Amino acid sequence: MGEYIGLDVSMKDTAISVRRNGERVWRGKCASDPEAIARIVRKHAQEPERVIFETGPLSVWFYHALQAERLPAICVDARHAKAALDMAANKTDANDADGLAHLAEVGFYREVRVKGFDSMLTRTLVAARTKLVRIKTEISNQIRGLMKTFGLVVPAGKGSTFDANVRAKLGDSSDLAGIILPLLEAWRSVRMRAAELTRRLIGDARQSEACQLLMSIPGVGVVTATAFATAVEDPANFRTSRSVGAWLGLTTRRYQSGQVDYNGHISRRGDHQVRNLLYEAACVILTRSSAESALRDWGLKLRERVGFK
């Protein structure tokens, strides 16, 4: 029999527990660094069978780094593990590591598929671009709101038109211009950086066969196609297409107990960003797009069947 290792990972330190033959043989703590953890594991475990840790901000890095150290790393669902870890009398990092090691030994855990670095890099690009676009919109709205206070209503317009309209409205108001112009410069800078990331995103999508296929659907653009493709990664990860909807939280909850059996709202589990983008794309297909497609026909028939108006 080999050893089973549980890691309770935090930003600074990681608690480690090693079990063998149903008993804990060692536990301790070290810095949250995969190389340091690998050295300690090799020192106290001659034949590590499983090294498990929960999902978290460092899980992608830990998984790939421990795999590179040739350790059998397994990332488990934190919500699933919590039910077992809450049985401990005291909630401590050491006890959590013991609990994870015990789960590894008995095999009572739900393994999570960890995305590759390439997919995470593209997802980071999408998230960064989305954040910059949101900041740009917030700054422009802030400028419009501040100028309204002084009776200066900026006409509708985006991009360079918005810039020119703001400067024209300020006119000779030097006091107000000293406040608004720094905001306008910040807006311009954020707009340029968002445009740079958008061009990079479009370039990457053009090189992806999956993104090109998804973008052929009315209502699906570069952002939606890229976010969905990087979330799924390999279609072989799912046995059926229905599993994708459940994985993204688009499947209704179900509660059954005795004579009670009903369906509730969608679970909203999984990637909320991809779920929101797919919802927006579905609204475009059903309400705004007039292009004929098998997907649109299926959606309209489904809407009629469930009685949605």
Side-chain angles (χ1 to χ4, degrees), residues 211-245:
C211 289
Q212 291 296 310
L213 180 62
L214 290 169
M215 289 167 60
S216 65
I217 303 172
V220 177
V222 174
V223 177
T224 303
T226 303
F228 182 79
T230 55
V232 173
E233 286 190 301
D234 185 3
N237 292 323
F238 300 91
R239 290 183 296 178
T240 64
S241 59
R242 290 178 177 269
S243 301
V244 181

Side-chain angles (χ1 to χ4, degrees), residues 169-242:
K169 284 292 182 179
L170 288 175
D172 299 330
S173 181
S174 59
D175 292 339
L176 183 60
I179 300 173
I180 299 299
L181 289 180
L183 279 175
L184 189 61
E185 291 299 323
W187 173 85
R188 290 182 59 190
S189 178
V190 172
R191 177 171 173 263
M192 292 174 59
R193 299 297 176 264
E196 291 175 1
L197 294 185
T198 301
R199 287 192 293 269
R200 179 175 175 181
L201 189 61
I202 294 173
D204 292 346
R206 288 175 178 171
Q207 303 298 322
S208 172
E209 183 178 351
C211 289
Q212 291 296 310
L213 180 62
L214 290 169
M215 289 167 60
S216 65
I217 303 172
V220 177
V222 174
V223 177
T224 303
T226 303
F228 182 79
T230 55
V232 173
E233 286 190 301
D234 185 3
N237 292 323
F238 300 91
R239 290 183 296 178
T240 64
S241 59
R242 290 178 177 269

Side-chain angles (χ1 to χ4, degrees), residues 80-292:
H80 186 261
K82 182 178 184 298
L85 298 180
D86 285 346
M87 296 178 64
N90 298 309
K91 177 70 171 67
T92 65
D93 293 343
N95 286 342
D96 285 349
D98 285 342
L100 290 172
H102 190 213
L103 294 181
E105 188 172 25
V106 299
F108 185 70
Y109 58 84
R110 181 178 298 169
E111 186 173 357
V112 174
R113 175 174 58 87
V114 180
K115 293 180 175 61
F117 276 123
D118 291 340
S119 295
M120 289 304 301
L121 187 63
T122 305
R123 289 172 62 83
T124 302
L125 174 61
V126 173
R129 183 258 179 195
T130 301
K131 187 66 174 180
L132 288 180
V133 171
R134 192 170 298 163
I135 293 173
K136 180 190 70 172
T137 303
E138 290 176 356
I139 294 177
S140 64
N141 290 339
Q142 182 72 13
I143 291 174
R144 291 179 184 275
L146 292 174
M147 294 182 66
K148 282 181 183 179
T149 306
F150 300 92
L152 304 176
V153 180
V154 181
K158 299 180 180 179
S160 58
T161 303
F162 172 74
D163 191 334
N165 289 339
V166 171
R167 294 181 184 275
K169 284 292 182 179
L170 288 175
D172 299 330
S173 181
S174 59
D175 292 339
L176 183 60
I179 300 173
I180 299 299
L181 289 180
L183 279 175
L184 189 61
E185 291 299 323
W187 173 85
R188 290 182 59 190
S189 178
V190 172
R191 177 171 173 263
M192 292 174 59
R193 299 297 176 264
E196 291 175 1
L197 294 185
T198 301
R199 287 192 293 269
R200 179 175 175 181
L201 189 61
I202 294 173
D204 292 346
R206 288 175 178 171
Q207 303 298 322
S208 172
E209 183 178 351
C211 289
Q212 291 296 310
L213 180 62
L214 290 169
M215 289 167 60
S216 65
I217 303 172
V220 177
V222 174
V223 177
T224 303
T226 303
F228 182 79
T230 55
V232 173
E233 286 190 301
D234 185 3
N237 292 323
F238 300 91
R239 290 183 296 178
T240 64
S241 59
R242 290 178 177 269
S243 301
V244 181
W247 180 66
L248 292 172
L250 291 170
T251 303
T252 56
R253 291 174 177 266
R254 185 181 182 186
Y255 179 85
Q256 185 181 50
S257 178
Q259 301 300 318
V260 179
D261 187 359
Y262 64 85
N263 293 328
H265 298 288
I266 60 174
S267 65
R268 296 184 181 179
R269 293 189 176 184
D271 194 323
H272 71 279
Q273 182 183 19
V274 177
R275 185 170 59 251
N276 291 341
L277 291 171
L278 291 177
Y279 181 82
E280 293 176 2
C283 289
V284 172
I285 294 173
L286 296 176
T287 62
R288 297 178 60 183
S289 175
S290 59
E292 293 295 331

Side-chain angles (χ1 to χ4, degrees), residues 24-95:
R24 186 183 68 213
V25 296
W26 184 86
R27 74 174 178 181
K29 183 181 290 188
C30 73
S32 292
D33 180 76
E35 294 183 0
I37 293 173
R39 288 195 298 268
I40 292 178
V41 168
R42 292 194 184 97
K43 180 179 179 181
H44 299 280
Q46 301 299 322
E47 298 179 1
E49 292 286 340
R50 302 184 186 120
V51 180
I52 76 170
F53 54 92
E54 299 174 272
T55 53
L58 303 178
S59 57
V60 175
W61 172 45
F62 260 63
Y63 177 81
H64 291 291
L66 291 176
Q67 288 281 352
E69 295 287 342
R70 297 184 178 182
L71 290 178
I74 299 174
C75 184
V76 301
D77 189 347
R79 292 172 300 187
H80 186 261
K82 182 178 184 298
L85 298 180
D86 285 346
M87 296 178 64
N90 298 309
K91 177 70 171 67
T92 65
D93 293 343
N95 286 342

